[in-house]
Amino acid sequence: MPKETMTPKERWLAVLNRQKPDRLPMDYWATDEVNDKLRKYLGCSTQREMYERLHIDRPVSVGPRYIGPQVPDDADIYGCRYRNVSYSTGTYRECIYHPLAQYETVDEIEANYAWPDIDWYDYSDIPNQLKGKEMYPAQAGGSEPFLTYKDLRGQEQAFMDLILHPDIVHYCLDKLFDFCYENTCRIYEQIPGKVTYSYIAEDMGSEKDLMYSPAQIREFLIPRMKRMIDLAHQAGVYAFHHSDGSIRKILPDMIKAGIDILNPIQWKCAGMDREGLKRDFGDKLIFHGGVDNQYTLAFGTVEEVKQEVVDNIRILGDGGGYILAPCHNIQAVSPVENIIAMYETGYEYGWVY
């Protein structure tokens, strides 16, 4: 086996800069239940030890410390309330109270609702969070406001608002994006030149098509996302765009807005075949993800996992521009043997990347 000559950060940057890394970079996304199960199986005491065992180039995430008014354990700073919903192998936190659901005008919201204050966060410790971790890529800042908007209004109402109450959508998204923008600015100021990428996301796709019309995406989301992307680029930071599902129709618009990295490459969704994405967008995007966790990691055989990793490297990694990762959080139903096979195969075949 060849010898590694790069740190995880250098490996990521080589791919992001269209240069040849020593080997294929590999990332990791999973639920807490998977983390616990995999650490125990491998006999690792920490996440970082587990990453090193599997040759995972997992970035370090940094952010501010909350110092604002006390928030109940079942709530967030926006007043949304949550409960843990159990499924067969774990739990997910689901929103059960939507503080803006009752309002029908912007005036009502302005009269009755107080938005969070950016000064509820202390940014002074962020440099310390990177000390001793300089060899890893750093993820910080970014935005995903429509996800918050759906919790504020309720998911069904949020989608209806795009047609029935566009003024409320614009008003709330401006508030939410402004908060994300200022938060990201303050992070960049604390660690100038040290952030590798910012997570600029919105889930826009379903299994078969977009969840919104292209016109709605262009009106409500892309201009605000472009502002975040421009901020990242001005600071020398890459724009990491996450959007689940079938989003091929809107990719030219997102590329024009300036995204650098596309995640998670759910290639089994309509229009998201790997060959087509690589052919049409491979010179414009770095692909991140691609290992299916709806069937392959969860229910496939070890051999199927290995073959999919090899195929991803061959297709998405042709000529560079690929970071191997699951195409969303690995779920607890996935056998540890499949997870390990993904990374061992990526490590074995990644040297010819």
Side-chain angles (χ1 to χ4, degrees):
M1 189 68 70
K3 184 178 179 180
E4 294 184 358
T5 60
M6 291 181 168
T7 65
K9 181 177 181 178
E10 290 170 340
R11 200 166 288 126
W12 270 69
L13 288 175
V15 172
L16 295 174
N17 289 318
R18 300 285 178 176
Q19 299 167 352
K20 187 173 176 59
D22 57 350
R23 64 163 174 83
L24 178 81
M26 299 189 293
D27 201 357
Y28 173 90
W29 293 25
T31 65
D32 290 340
E33 292 86 4
V34 172
N35 294 336
D36 293 342
K37 182 170 68 172
L38 193 53
R39 280 199 313 269
K40 182 177 180 180
Y41 184 90
L42 293 170
C44 298
S45 57
T46 66
Q47 283 292 110
R48 187 54 65 181
E49 182 184 356
M50 184 185 81
Y51 299 152
E52 291 174 358
R53 178 79 64 85
L54 295 175
H55 308 285
I56 295 168
D57 307 288
R58 180 68 181 151
V60 174
S61 295
V62 301
R65 181 172 61 92
Y66 183 74
I67 57 171
Q70 185 173 358
V71 176
D73 291 341
D74 67 343
D76 63 15
I77 60 171
Y78 294 99
C80 303
R81 293 205 300 268
Y82 302 83
R83 72 178 177 195
N84 288 333
V85 178
S86 296
Y87 59 100
S88 59
T89 52
T91 61
Y92 262 90
R93 200 171 185 232
E94 302 287 351
C95 188
I96 59 170
Y97 172 73
H98 316 288
L100 300 189
Q102 61 185 305
Y103 304 122
E104 297 193 11
T105 68
V106 170
D107 288 342
E108 286 182 281
I109 297 174
E110 288 187 320
N112 295 284
Y113 181 77
W115 294 92
D117 192 320
I118 195 70
D119 290 330
W120 291 356
Y121 287 88
D122 175 17
Y123 294 79
S124 63
D125 186 60
I126 289 177
N128 293 327
Q129 296 173 26
L130 281 183
K131 286 184 178 178
K133 302 174 182 176
E134 292 84 0
M135 70 288 295
Y136 302 109
Q139 179 270 324
S143 60
E144 194 172 6
F146 200 81
L147 181 64
T148 304
Y149 183 78
K150 287 189 287 187
D151 285 349
L152 285 166
R153 290 284 281 170
Q155 184 156 273
E156 183 176 349
Q157 184 61 53
F159 284 115
M160 292 169 61
D161 284 346
L162 296 170
I163 296 172
L164 300 178
H165 300 291
D167 56 333
I168 292 179
V169 181
H170 280 298
Y171 167 78
C172 291
L173 287 184
D174 281 344
K175 292 286 188 181
L176 295 167
F177 268 99
D178 284 349
F179 189 96
C180 293
Y181 189 93
E182 181 60 27
N183 174 66
T184 303
C185 283
R186 294 190 184 194
I187 292 172
Y188 291 169
E189 289 168 358
Q190 287 291 326
I191 46 174
K194 295 183 178 180
V195 177
T196 309
Y197 69 85
S198 289
Y199 184 86
I200 299 169
E202 291 295 352
D203 280 336
M204 296 186 286
S206 68
E207 294 284 323
K208 297 182 178 180
D209 209 336
L210 293 170
M211 294 193 295
Y212 322 79
S213 72
Q216 289 169 338
I217 293 172
R218 292 170 186 139
E219 176 182 354
F220 295 104
L221 298 179
I222 290 180
R224 295 176 172 93
M225 294 173 73
K226 186 179 187 308
R227 184 178 176 227
M228 296 297 303
I229 293 166
D230 290 346
L231 173 64
H233 289 167
Q234 289 162 12
V237 176
Y238 290 93
F240 183 112
H241 177 62
H242 165 87
S243 183
D244 292 333
S246 175
I247 58 167
R248 185 186 177 93
K249 288 180 182 176
I250 206 66
L251 278 180
D253 296 82
M254 296 308 305
I255 291 168
K256 186 177 180 181
I259 63 170
D260 301 300
I261 306 163
L262 180 65
N263 160 277
I265 321 299
Q266 290 183 312
W267 58 271
K268 293 189 177 182
C269 294
M272 296 295 288
D273 60 285
R274 292 166 292 183
E275 293 85 354
L277 291 177
K278 186 68 176 183
R279 180 190 65 240
D280 296 338
F281 307 116
D283 61 336
K284 304 174 183 68
L285 294 172
I286 302 299
F287 296 114
H288 178 286
V291 182
D292 172 62
N293 66 346
Q294 289 179 284
Y295 168 73
T296 309
L297 283 174
F299 306 110
T301 65
V302 166
E303 290 306 313
E304 286 176 305
V305 172
K306 290 181 178 179
Q307 187 61 56
E308 186 163 317
V309 170
V310 170
D311 289 344
N312 280 343
I313 295 173
R314 174 178 56 84
I315 299 167
L316 295 173
D318 183 26
Y322 178 50
I323 297 170
L324 177 75
C327 64
H328 211 288
N329 290 331
I330 303 171
Q331 301 297 305
V333 70
S334 299
V336 290
E337 293 83 1
N338 283 3
I339 301 169
I340 292 170
M342 171 174 61
Y343 291 108
E344 287 184 343
T345 306
Y347 188 69
E348 179 181 356
Y349 287 86
W351 299 97
V352 295
Y353 170 67

